[in-house]
Amino acid sequence: MFLIECPWCGMRDETEFSCFGEAHIARPLETEKLSDEEWADYLFMRKNPKGAHREQWLHAAGCRRYFNAERDTVSYQISATYKIGEKPPGGSRK
Amino acid sequence: MSKYSIFSLLRNAISYHENWASAWRSPEPKKEYDVLIVGGGGHGLATAYYLAKEHGITNVAVLEKGWIGGGNTGRNTTIVRSNYLWDESAHLYEKSMQLWEGLSQDLNYNVMFSQRGVYNLGHNLQDMRDIQRRVNANRLNGIDGQVVMPEEIKRAIPEINIDQGCRYPILGASFQPRGGVARHDAVAWGFARGADMRGVDIIQNCEVTAIKQKNGAVTGVETTRGTINAKKIGVVVAGHCSVLAEMAGFRMPIESHPLQALVSEPIKPVINTVIMSNAVHGYISQSDKGDLVIGAGIDSYNGYGQRGSFPTIEHTVAAIVEMFPIFKRVRMNRQWGGIVDTTPDACPIIGNTPINGLYFNCGWGTGGFKATPGSGWVFAHNVATGEPHELNRAFALDRFVSGFLIDEHGAAGVAH
Ligand SMILES: Cc1cc2nc3c(=O)[nH]c(=O)nc-3n(C[C@H](O)[C@H](O)[C@H](O)COP(=O)(O)OP(=O)(O)OC[C@H]3O[C@@H](n4cnc5c(N)ncnc54)[C@H](O)[C@@H]3O)c2cc1C
Ligand SMILES: [Zn+2]
């Protein structure tokens, strides 16, 4: 079982959390100028990497706040959690 | 390759069954093929089989990074049904159902397809409305189905709990009599043997690590067993499709999740059909060996680890025990996970890609085993002709650009 460190509440059991998928997807500006391809990319296309992944989690049965986590999708090891708006600790990655 | 029959059985009995020829060869990969199929699961092997059988394309290799059928094909709970809501999916899954019905004869290999019926339970009024709508839609599409009430369910499955006082009471179900189960390994092996007999090379322990292209068209692949060239490549790698798409340089609307199943110790025959509940995320059948075969829901996070979390199993087992209180003290023997490739509309992606000669067949998510023959059949057509078949045209990758999604979430349910 996972233990997940909520940036506000500390270490808690994974059953208190829900995962909300890929993090750092910015809503495009000037959406009226987007092509269908650009909309599709924003709405549907995902990195889905095998390895290090940044994703949004919600501490659903706790403080009910969102935060980001960096987690390996093969070992499931979480290397860091950080607040929304903060820079990922591992530096920027594509 | 000799045909399996009562005579071959007798002949081999004389030598104590020690001299059966292997069901397929294990050749060294050639430098070049007409078509490469990446991924030796049921769908990839079926594609190779129908390429050879229906289109006469036999200079084909199936490249599998591990052993054939070792992915989701060998890890699933083997439920087969075709009662999907929308016309596009109903036609595709029904094509598959019709192929299942003659598959053992066609392959000369017993895939143990057993049409023992499938129940999809409803637990609240909205479930029942959806079930009625889906059964009506199925019948308009010529697919068998009926709505059954709790007493009728109880008559067919005496051990089920239809007490209306529990948390998720059973209010009714859809029933597809032609649904059932098949033996997953036999499906992979049967297609492999059939393809091999027609000249297809099945290459195991051969992982594709790069997709080579020139002027917007594929030219071959790099693998752990060297470079292999081909002008047509069909990628059928389920949970790894985003990884292969990244090699080719485009993005997929896919997320890979762990999905788990478990089996109990063998017990005497108690369930002779398949029971599924989308609302509580549990489905159950009994294998010929006697084990209860139980499937769970996906873990909410992405994962390539072929294992899932314990809370998900606990949730499923709780649901099964509420449905079947009699199983409370049955012990579970084994548990495992697969990597399922989920799409935003719970429908597969089958067809052409932005790169010429490169075709993808993926996104079957939690429910593609039932589609194995039909998926291979349409994909073989797509790869052979370069154009989708009528049955898979609507499942093109560009539906995410055009917006013509086929939303099977509600009606087909989250699972299988
Ligand atoms: C627990 C569980 C229960 C399920 N229950 C049902 C059910 O009851 N009914 C149903 O219809 N469906 C069910 N499914 C879904 C079903 O199993 C899949 O949709 C289906 O088997 C997919 O078949 P496939 O051949 O596309 O994929 P797989 O069988 O996964 O084959 C893909 C193959 O590609 C190979 N591969 C990956 N990357 C590479 C590479 N780089 N190079 C070479 N090879 C590669 C893999 O090793 C793998 O063997 C279930 C799935 C799971 C995990
Ligand atoms: Zn918290």
Side-chain angles (χ1 to χ4, degrees):
Chain A
M1 191 171 304
F2 277 161
L3 283 178
I4 299 177
E5 185 167 9
C6 170
W8 286 279
C9 311
M11 283 292 187
R12 296 295 185 91
D13 192 293
E14 74 169 279
T15 54
E16 293 184 12
F17 298 86
S18 323
C19 183
F20 279 80
E22 186 175 325
H24 306 297
I25 298 176
R27 186 181 167 89
L29 303 169
E30 300 192 277
T31 47
E32 68 283 4
K33 291 189 187 146
L34 287 191
S35 67
D36 289 351
E37 282 74 17
E38 287 163 329
W39 265 122
D41 194 72
Y42 163 65
L43 283 176
F44 299 123
M45 301 301 164
R46 293 293 178 266
K47 287 190 184 131
N48 192 24
K50 183 176 184 178
H53 190 31
R54 288 177 180 143
E55 52 201 12
Q56 310 176 83
W57 285 78
L58 170 67
H59 193 184
C63 62
R64 299 201 55 78
R65 284 200 264 196
Y66 284 90
F67 61 92
N68 291 326
E70 186 168 277
R71 191 178 60 89
D72 188 292
T73 61
V74 181
S75 68
Y76 303 169
Q77 192 95 35
I78 296 175
S79 49
T81 55
Y82 51 101
K83 293 177 184 168
I84 300 283
E86 286 179 359
K87 287 248 157 17
S92 67
R93 195 182 286 122
K94 64 166 170 141
Chain B
M1 189 73 50
S2 69
K3 194 166 156 24
Y4 293 153
S5 68
I6 180 76
F7 303 108
S8 68
L9 196 61
L10 290 175
R11 211 166 35 245
N12 279 281
I14 296 167
S15 53
Y16 303 99
H17 297 292
E18 284 171 2
N19 295 327
W20 285 100
S22 23
W24 57 86
R25 301 159 295 132
S26 291
E28 281 302 309
K30 292 191 272 188
K31 289 269 161 292
E32 179 155 8
Y33 290 89
D34 292 341
V35 177
L36 290 176
I37 300 297
V38 184
H43 290 224
L45 294 163
T47 306
Y49 173 75
Y50 290 116
L51 271 174
K53 179 175 177 238
E54 305 282 342
H55 304 277
I57 301 175
T58 56
N59 186 20
V60 176
V62 177
L63 310 179
E64 165 54 49
K65 82 176 155 84
W67 64 95
I68 60 168
N72 294 344
T73 297
R75 293 163 187 268
N76 81 95
T77 51
T78 75
I79 301 171
V80 175
R81 59 187 181 88
S82 62
N83 51 357
Y84 282 67
L85 175 69
W86 299 106
D87 291 352
E88 293 84 351
S89 1
H91 295 156
L92 181 60
Y93 288 100
E94 179 57 21
K95 169 71 192 174
S96 199
M97 179 66 89
Q98 288 170 10
L99 289 169
W100 277 116
E101 286 174 332
L103 196 61
S104 291
Q105 282 71 25
D106 184 36
L107 293 176
N108 177 230
Y109 201 97
N110 187 1
V111 298
M112 295 166 75
F113 181 48
S114 159
Q115 291 178 296
R116 56 185 71 180
V118 175
Y119 290 85
N120 289 78
L121 301 177
H123 300 275
N124 55 46
L125 286 179
Q126 190 57 46
D127 280 0
M128 290 313 296
R129 287 185 198 115
D130 290 342
I131 282 173
Q132 269 151 6
R133 177 182 180 208
R134 179 161 50 78
V135 168
N136 286 336
N138 293 157
R139 293 170 76 131
L140 288 171
N141 272 321
I143 295 167
D144 60 321
Q146 60 214 57
V147 178
V148 289
M149 291 295 119
E151 301 69 38
E152 232 176 313
I153 300 173
K154 183 81 180 168
R155 263 201 303 283
I157 313 160
E159 315 299 343
I160 205 164
N161 171 22
I162 55 163
D163 176 13
Q164 295 300 302
C166 58
R167 174 66 184 84
Y168 295 103
I170 293 169
L171 300 189
S174 71
F175 179 55
Q176 184 179 22
R178 284 158 72 236
V181 292
R183 168 114 163 86
H184 47 16
D185 295 327
V187 174
W189 299 337
F191 275 121
R193 174 170 170 270
D196 176 273
M197 262 197 296
R198 288 168 173 80
V200 172
D201 284 357
I202 291 165
I203 320 269
Q204 303 186 78
N205 298 311
C206 179
E207 178 171 358
V208 169
T209 52
I211 295 177
K212 299 194 303 163
Q213 12 179 324
K214 204 170 170 187
N215 306 327
V218 285
T219 60
V221 294
E222 299 294 345
T223 78
T224 47
R225 296 178 66 172
T227 306
I228 307 175
N229 293 324
K231 295 202 172 55
K232 284 186 171 187
I233 301 175
V235 175
V236 202
V237 294
H240 279 83
C241 55
S242 301
V243 176
L244 272 285
E246 194 182 356
M247 289 178 196
F250 58 92
R251 270 152 71 78
M252 293 293 276
I254 298 256
E255 294 202 285
S256 301
H257 291 272
L259 179 68
Q260 300 178 85
L262 55 161
V263 293
S264 73
E265 58 190 344
I267 57 174
K268 292 237 167 99
V270 56
I271 293 183
N272 63 1
T273 182
V274 181
I275 300 122
M276 312 176 49
S277 168
N278 296 330
V280 297
H281 275 128
Y283 35 101
I284 185 164
S285 65
Q286 189 171 18
S287 77
D288 295 343
K289 280 185 296 182
D291 345 12
L292 298 174
V293 181
I294 297 172
I298 59 170
D299 278 297
S300 66
Y301 48 82
N302 292 20
Y304 285 86
Q306 289 189 322
R307 64 188 186 283
S309 68
F310 186 72
T312 301
I313 295 195
E314 198 177 14
H315 179 86
T316 294
V317 170
I320 295 291
V321 169
E322 188 177 85
M323 269 192 268
F324 291 96
I326 190 179
F327 296 151
K328 202 174 278 178
R329 289 164 66 185
V330 174
R331 275 164 301 199
M332 293 299 144
N333 246 356
R334 290 182 293 123
Q335 162 272 341
W336 64 88
I339 313 166
V340 297
D341 39 343
T342 60
T343 58
D345 59 356
C347 278
I349 297 167
I350 317 167
N352 299 8
T353 68
I355 293 146
N356 283 334
L358 183 64
Y359 309 93
F360 265 57
N361 180 355
C362 59
W364 291 96
T366 60
F369 177 72
K370 63 176 75 64
T372 305
S375 158
W377 194 88
V378 295
F379 196 50
H381 175 101
N382 202 141
V383 171
T385 64
E387 291 294 326
H389 188 273
E390 269 322 304
L391 287 173
N392 74 293
R393 192 178 298 281
F395 295 93
L397 178 59
D398 67 15
R399 75 174 182 274
F400 295 95
V401 175
S402 67
F404 283 106
L405 304 194
I406 307 159
D407 183 10
E408 280 291 352
H409 270 294
V414 281
H416 331 289

